Each structure stands twice: as structure tokens, then as C-alpha cells.
Amino acid sequence: MMKKPNFQAWLQQQISDDSEVILAGKLEYLRLYLTDAMREIRNKSGLTQAQLAEKLGVKQAAVSKLESPLKEHELESVLHYLHTLGADLLVAVKQGDDLYQASDNEGLLLVDVPDVVAQKASAANMTVREYVSAAIAKFSSENNAMRTDLVKLLKSDDLVAVKVRERLSTKTITDIATELEKCLLLADEEDRLFAVKNVLASNLAVAETNRGTSNEIDEIELLYLAEELLVKIEIIFK
């Protein structure tokens, strides 16, 4: 089982002075946090993606897409997902020192840094800023090592790597490694499998096809390739 990263470590990271880059970073963080919370809530509810899909009245692929940080998410779909699991989305808007409550739960507010992070910083005799910076440095080091290993695998003559390059021929090796790296951050084995399958399908004109359609055979082939790729990756990260 791959170690689940602490996304909280990214909160105070200064990624750029460019406003567009900062905005893109915020969107990326939001997707990572939101999808991680959604998967955790579903797992705690004891439901598989297929079982939740049945409750929602959608295909499993739709649930897989909702739980993927690589995809865009409609607010209505996220709210429907959470409501079905008995959960609420808490939303607040912060400008300077002013915090505006947007969700209907007045008893709770979003905060910049959870208490648990402040407690860990205090236990380490560090300020929150120092603690987060140290976590970022550690995470970035592990992250870069993972990406380097993925690039090495994807460039190799391994049959699985060749198949991946053929399917994603319009993308660079680095881009593929970056997308796979995000998939590997998922804690649940089934979630990782479907996330990798979605990456492999991203070059197809009908990448969002569901089971039971005329593309069912290709869907199965994608799952097989995703499984093979994950086995190779698990071997190099042991």
C-alpha cells in the first residue's frame, strides 16, 4: 500500500508570483482536497464505487470521474454525491481578515489551517509556517523521486511501457508521469486502478464512455493495461 500524502502540507506553499499560476494551483489543491475527502467518506460508509453509483442512479464511471482529481467537477454533482452519503459541503469566502459564510451550516466554518496541524507544529516546537514548510520539502523530495522512477519506466523497452506510450502518443513522457503520479496518491486500490484507466483513455475521442456501450471491449483492454501498469509501478516502488 502506497503511503497517503498529507495534502495539508501544500497550503502555505508559494508556487509563483503569476496570478494565473496561483489560480491554477488553488484549483489543483481544491480538486485534491475535495476528491480525497469524497473517497474517504464513501469508504467510511462501506460503499464501493459501483454501490454508490447505483444509489446515485449513474454508471460507475461517473463516480470514478467525480472522485478523480484529474477531472473538472460540477458543483451540483458534488453536492448530490455528498448528500447521498449524508455529508455536507461547507463553503466560506475569505478576503483579508473577513470571512463570509456561504454554506447553510452556520455552526461550522472553513478555516485556513486545521487544529491538528497547529497541534503537530506545537509538538515539534515549530511555528505552523515552519512545520508546513518542512512538510513541503519532504513531500517534494519524495514526489520528485517518484516522478523520476516513473519517467525511467515509461522510457524503457518494457512491453507495458511501450503500450502506454502508443496509447498516449500525443503526450510527453513527463506529462504522462505527472498524471500517473497523481493517480498513485490515491489511497484506495480500486480508485488508483480507475484513475490510471482514465489517464490511459485520455487520448480517445470517447474517453468518458461507460460500460455496456459499443466501446466495452476497449474499456476492458484499458483496465487490463491499467492493472499491468500498476503491477510494474508497485515493483519499482517496493
Side-chain angles (χ1 to χ4, degrees):
M1 178 69 68
M2 295 182 185
K3 184 175 68 174
K4 185 177 179 181
N6 179 12
F7 295 138
Q8 195 66 40
W10 291 350
L11 268 181
Q12 296 187 28
Q13 184 179 13
Q14 181 65 33
I15 58 175
S16 173
D17 292 327
D18 189 313
S19 62
E20 292 299 320
V21 175
I22 293 173
L23 174 59
K26 288 182 176 180
L27 290 172
E28 183 74 4
Y29 299 161
L30 177 59
R31 291 193 190 100
L32 285 169
Y33 274 108
L34 182 58
T35 54
D36 185 58
M38 290 165 68
R39 289 188 300 272
E40 185 171 344
I41 291 171
R42 173 176 60 77
N43 289 330
K44 285 184 176 180
S45 299
L47 296 176
T48 64
Q49 285 188 342
Q51 290 170 331
L52 178 57
E54 185 176 354
K55 287 180 175 291
L56 291 169
V58 299
K59 298 289 187 179
Q60 181 177 340
V63 174
S64 177
K65 177 181 176 181
L66 270 174
E67 294 183 354
S68 172
L70 306 177
K71 302 293 183 180
E72 299 290 342
H73 301 82
E74 292 184 358
L75 181 60
E76 291 80 1
S77 298
V78 172
L79 289 175
H80 186 198
Y81 177 109
L82 293 173
H83 180 72
T84 302
L85 294 174
D88 293 314
L89 180 65
L90 301 179
V91 180
V93 179
K94 187 174 184 295
Q95 183 182 43
D97 294 328
D98 295 324
L99 194 65
Y100 303 89
Q101 180 75 25
S103 54
D104 61 0
N105 189 331
E106 295 295 339
L108 293 171
L109 287 172
L110 293 180
V111 294
D112 288 334
V113 179
D115 290 341
V116 65
V117 176
Q119 292 168 3
K120 289 182 177 180
S122 178
N125 198 27
M126 302 168 71
T127 65
V128 171
R129 179 75 180 184
E130 291 170 340
Y131 182 83
V132 171
S133 295
I136 290 171
K138 183 175 185 298
F139 179 85
S140 297
S141 175
E142 294 173 351
N143 212 35
N144 290 335
M146 178 185 292
R147 190 172 306 171
T148 298
D149 287 340
L150 285 172
V151 168
K152 183 177 180 180
L153 170 63
L154 292 170
K155 285 183 175 180
S156 72
D157 294 329
D158 182 90
L159 182 58
V160 173
V162 172
K163 289 180 180 178
V164 172
R165 292 200 301 270
E166 289 175 348
R167 273 203 174 268
L168 303 177
S169 58
T170 63
K171 297 185 177 183
T172 67
I173 296 295
T174 301
D175 286 341
I176 299 172
T178 300
E179 292 184 13
L180 289 175
E181 181 183 12
K182 294 176 182 178
C183 300
L184 300 178
L185 297 180
L186 304 179
D188 183 79
E189 184 177 351
E190 182 181 356
D191 293 340
R192 288 199 300 274
L193 174 61
F194 277 93
V196 171
K197 190 269 289 182
N198 287 338
V199 170
L200 296 174
S202 60
N203 266 21
L204 301 178
V206 285
E208 303 302 329
T209 55
N210 296 324
R211 294 175 185 273
T213 69
S214 59
N215 293 283
E216 182 175 0
I217 294 178
D218 197 57
E219 284 282 299
I220 294 174
E221 290 179 351
L222 283 171
L223 278 174
Y224 280 148
L225 181 55
E227 288 176 343
E228 291 177 327
L229 180 56
L230 281 172
V231 169
K232 297 288 183 180
I233 292 173
E234 289 283 359
I235 291 173
I236 65 175
F237 287 146
K238 279 185 178 180

